[in-house]
Amino acid sequence: MSVTEQQSGEAPGRPARRRGRWRLVKIAMEKPELAALVLLFLLIGAFQVLSNGVFLNFNNLRGLFGLLPEVALVAIGVTLLMICGEFDLSVGSVFALMPMTMAVLMVDGWPFWVAIGAGLGLCALIGLTNGLITIRFGIPSFIVTLGMLFMARSLTVVISGGFPPRLRMDEIPAWLFVDFVGPGGLFRMSFLWFLAVAILVSLLLSRTNFGNWVRATGGFLPAAQATGIPTARVKIACFVLCSMLAGFAGMIQTLRIGSALPSMGEGLELQAVAAAVIGGTALTGGIGSILGGVIGATLIRVIDNGMVLSQIDSNWFKFAVGGLTIGAVVANAWMRKRARAMKVET
Amino acid sequence: MLDAGAPDAIISVRNLHKWYSGVHALKGVSLDFRRNEAVGLVGDNGAGKSTLINILAGLHQPDEGEVIVEGSRVAMRGPRDAMDLGIETIYQYNSMVPSMSIARNIFIGREPVLFSIGGFGILDEKRMRRESVQAIADVDLHLRSPDALVGELSGGQRQGVAIARAMHFRSKVMILDEPTNHLSVKETAKVIGFVRGLAAQGVTAIFISHNMHHVFACCDRVVAMALGEVVLDRRIDETSIDEVHAVL
């Protein structure tokens, strides 16, 4: 339908072209990630000035792009799960458990690829457990995954035996995950993995029937059930995917720093939730986008990095992320309300 | 049981029983819903109306008795089974996801896909939009864009979209669970007009309402339930609102 066609028959008042523009404004304002995107550009500009032009220089971008995939991969899984109406606080612990499992198995003589498979399998199992308990017993996933946060962290320390296992980096094709590639080595391989996962999950959510079920399940569970969607299985699939992405991200960090530490990823679960929320994902489910989660994760990395470069006391980092989270939710709620109030078409 | 229901019935239920944790919600209900008939189902809260329609919608399974659809006994395991048999249910609140577009809502659970692997596939969004526009136009609803969010529609428009969805999938039986609740007078009239027109389109309607006037305005027959049993089953022209009230 063309714009002019839509306006025919409408009460005279504002000129047609102006109403057309309002329609675009409304569509833009309904995009949940818009506020975060605007803020991202503002912050990049601010840090560029505050750091006397260091922020956007090649080496800093290289560092930024090197770290981003780790938190962003976790944020992607958490965002998907939140859109599905559930929550995962165990991702930070799974982030550490997966590479620790892999490292311990490799010390025992398992080949790298088998150890990776076992690690990811364990993540899938944790996701499955989170999902099954949440659904079977009708408990909020907040509680179930809070329990799993402690259990997975404890397991990580137990299997490490108190000492980080030594990774024989020469046996590991680490280049596949952390080598620098691209123009001048601007990106690490992990960035390509992240990009691929982001695009795939994004397409899964927006272009497939499964994505439709995820949105319906998180948007309004009774309607999803009444239309015959297997909502339990949809949720469990999202739990599993979320856990596996967290484990995969942890493995990338381990290969980057060359060692599996039991304390990796502490507090990451809340950063991931913050990233999703900053990116416009609603805590109630149904609303949000993968792009939003990625933008949210980028914002957090940019703040962390930009503050250091601007010589701001880095103890303000958490304050900034916290303020941003609250600010983003308020801004999103306000914009959604305003967009809804704009009666340009129904 | 050998009884296969009345010969002209599209749905028959025989001796349906349902217990909910000790409560005997349905006590041997037997009913026939004939083709192209609009049946009003009335009764107080707890009379068993919802239990009956939840069974017909595939949400619950009866503890005893049978459901016969077009002459054959069926065992529905979920809402999807009912939908596949041509039974669509429009709930008072539960039909639509407010945060999703009209086009997405119409096809929830039955999305057309370009190709699929193991049941998962890429949505045919062009077709979804095109058919949604058509489906909405078919029920005489005037909405400009299939991309508008259902949450932005009025209650009546939402019911309209739910009805459009049911019609689009060529349902044979449409169960409307209190579709006129919380609607304005004008929107109520529209829904009632719609139910009245269903017979002409070859659709059987089961219309649940608290409001006797709405039932008498659009149904051919009224079934009253009380305490899990059918207490009255008459043609509209053979009974009156007072008589129905008297048995409830």
Side-chain angles (χ1 to χ4, degrees):
Chain A
M1 235 187 258
S2 76
V3 175
T4 42
E5 201 182 312
Q6 295 211 354
Q7 263 123 27
S8 61
E10 209 170 285
R14 279 184 301 197
R17 205 202 286 145
R18 216 174 131 206
R19 278 199 303 268
R21 204 180 305 145
W22 276 114
R23 187 169 158 253
L24 290 181
V25 170
K26 180 184 164 82
I27 289 170
M29 277 171 73
E30 275 173 349
K31 293 268 177 231
E33 61 273 2
L34 180 75
L37 192 64
V38 170
L39 204 62
L40 180 61
F41 282 116
L42 287 179
L43 273 179
I44 289 174
F47 283 134
Q48 177 70 358
V49 173
L50 285 173
S51 66
N52 299 318
V54 179
F55 184 78
L56 283 179
N57 84 9
F58 184 82
N59 275 322
N60 191 50
L61 285 182
R62 198 169 183 233
L64 202 63
F65 290 140
L67 295 187
L68 174 66
E70 292 156 19
V71 58
L73 280 167
V74 180
I76 289 171
V78 168
T79 304
L80 178 74
L81 188 60
M82 280 174 68
I83 292 172
C84 196
E86 297 293 346
F87 219 70
D88 191 350
L89 289 179
S90 68
V91 286
S93 301
V94 171
F95 185 88
L97 179 58
M98 187 282 179
M100 186 60 76
T101 308
M102 188 184 83
V104 168
L105 289 176
M106 284 183 70
V107 167
D108 276 358
W110 290 41
F112 173 73
W113 290 109
V114 183
I116 265 202
L120 287 175
L122 180 65
C123 296
L125 198 69
I126 289 176
L128 187 69
T129 311
N130 283 340
L132 283 177
I133 294 177
T134 299
I135 286 155
R136 181 70 188 79
F137 298 102
I139 301 169
S141 49
F142 185 91
I143 304 298
V144 176
T145 58
L146 179 66
M148 190 58 84
L149 175 152
F150 291 117
M151 286 160 66
R153 180 65 67 185
S154 171
L155 262 181
T156 310
V157 181
V158 169
I159 63 170
S160 76
F163 295 97
R166 232 177 66 79
L167 272 178
R168 310 245 342 236
M169 290 307 283
D170 51 323
E171 288 174 12
I172 298 172
W175 61 270
L176 196 53
F177 301 100
V178 292
D179 261 15
F180 285 104
V181 291
L186 180 58
F187 303 107
R188 280 179 186 266
M189 282 296 282
S190 58
F191 193 82
L192 302 185
W193 281 95
F194 146 68
L195 220 54
V197 168
I199 291 169
L200 276 177
V201 178
S202 205
L203 289 178
L204 181 76
L205 185 62
S206 59
R207 295 271 174 268
T208 69
N209 52 0
F210 180 78
N212 217 34
W213 303 345
V214 169
R215 275 201 194 282
T217 300
F220 192 42
L221 191 61
Q225 284 168 333
T227 44
I229 292 174
T231 54
R233 267 181 271 169
V234 168
K235 283 190 174 185
I236 288 172
C238 290
F239 271 112
V240 168
L241 205 59
C242 178
S243 268
M244 290 179 76
L245 283 176
F248 183 66
M251 185 202 71
I252 286 175
Q253 181 163 96
T254 291
L255 296 185
R256 178 171 60 81
I257 61 183
S259 169
L261 304 172
S263 60
M264 278 167 51
E266 265 173 3
L268 190 60
E269 57 282 332
L270 297 182
Q271 272 193 36
V273 171
V277 169
I278 290 169
T281 304
L283 241 79
T284 44
I287 298 171
S289 71
I290 300 299
L291 177 64
V294 169
I295 292 173
T298 312
L299 259 173
I300 291 176
R301 291 307 323 150
V302 162
I303 291 173
D304 190 9
N305 176 276
M307 283 174 78
V308 173
L309 291 185
S310 312
Q311 296 176 330
I312 301 167
D313 183 351
S314 65
N315 290 318
W316 286 100
F317 168 63
K318 286 185 179 169
F319 187 93
V321 171
L324 189 61
T325 307
I326 297 174
V329 175
V330 172
N332 273 321
W334 181 80
M335 287 215 299
R336 213 168 288 147
K337 213 170 118 194
R338 286 305 302 261
R340 190 162 290 194
M342 276 189 211
K343 277 282 170 203
V344 290
E345 56 164 345
T346 41
Chain B
M1 239 193 221
L2 287 171
D3 188 357
D8 58 342
I10 185 153
I11 299 185
S12 301
V13 297
R14 287 290 174 267
N15 192 31
L16 279 191
H17 285 272
K18 182 74 187 176
W19 282 267
Y20 288 116
S21 52
V23 178
H24 201 171
L26 279 188
K27 301 171 183 165
V29 168
S30 296
L31 273 173
D32 293 302
F33 298 98
R34 291 181 192 86
R35 269 173 219 282
N36 304 351
E37 186 183 43
V39 181
L41 193 56
V42 298
D44 235 330
N45 289 336
K49 299 179 309 233
S50 301
T51 309
L52 177 62
I53 63 149
N54 280 342
I55 289 173
L56 293 180
L59 278 173
H60 296 154
Q61 282 76 45
D63 293 317
E64 217 184 296
E66 46 194 35
V67 178
I68 299 140
V69 177
E70 296 188 280
S72 37
R73 223 185 124 169
V74 295
M76 294 182 278
R77 312 284 346 147
R80 198 51 207 264
D81 287 350
M83 286 152 82
D84 289 344
L85 286 166
I87 304 168
E88 291 276 339
T89 311
I90 292 160
Y91 297 94
Q92 186 184 334
Y93 302 111
N94 308 359
S95 293
M96 296 276 145
V97 182
S99 55
M100 292 170 76
S101 73
I102 294 171
R104 293 270 177 145
N105 261 293
I106 285 183
F107 289 97
I108 288 177
R110 286 180 287 202
E111 297 86 352
V113 289
L114 294 171
F115 62 87
S116 76
I117 305 162
F120 300 108
I122 307 290
L123 293 173
D124 188 347
E125 287 183 88
K126 240 188 206 158
R127 193 177 139 198
M128 283 168 67
R129 300 179 83 252
R130 193 180 62 229
E131 292 188 3
S132 313
V133 169
Q134 188 59 48
I136 291 165
D138 284 347
V139 295
D140 213 22
L141 199 63
H142 303 288
L143 299 172
R144 284 220 185 90
S145 163
D147 299 325
L149 298 182
V150 164
E152 295 179 8
L153 304 181
S154 72
Q157 287 172 324
R158 282 186 214 198
Q159 294 294 18
V161 174
I163 289 168
R165 172 167 69 187
M167 292 307 292
H168 179 72
F169 287 99
R170 296 201 177 74
S171 68
K172 297 172 193 156
V173 179
M174 207 182 285
I175 301 172
L176 299 106
D177 187 7
E178 314 213 4
T180 52
N181 271 21
H182 309 298
L183 293 193
S184 66
V185 175
K186 210 171 138 195
E187 288 177 330
T188 301
K190 198 156 184 186
V191 169
I192 286 176
F194 182 81
V195 174
R196 218 186 268 150
L198 281 176
Q201 308 192 52
V203 178
T204 306
I206 302 174
F207 181 89
I208 294 99
S209 182
H210 273 112
N211 190 318
M212 219 64 78
H213 294 280
H214 295 172
V215 170
F216 275 73
C218 65
C219 296
D220 305 313
R221 194 175 131 210
V222 57
V223 172
M225 292 182 71
L227 300 170
E229 286 173 296
V230 174
V231 290
L232 179 137
D233 184 350
R234 290 261 166 84
R235 292 196 53 80
I236 289 284
D237 43 26
E238 291 165 0
T239 185
S240 66
I241 291 181
D242 291 336
E243 186 185 10
V244 179
H245 268 305
V247 298
L248 290 179

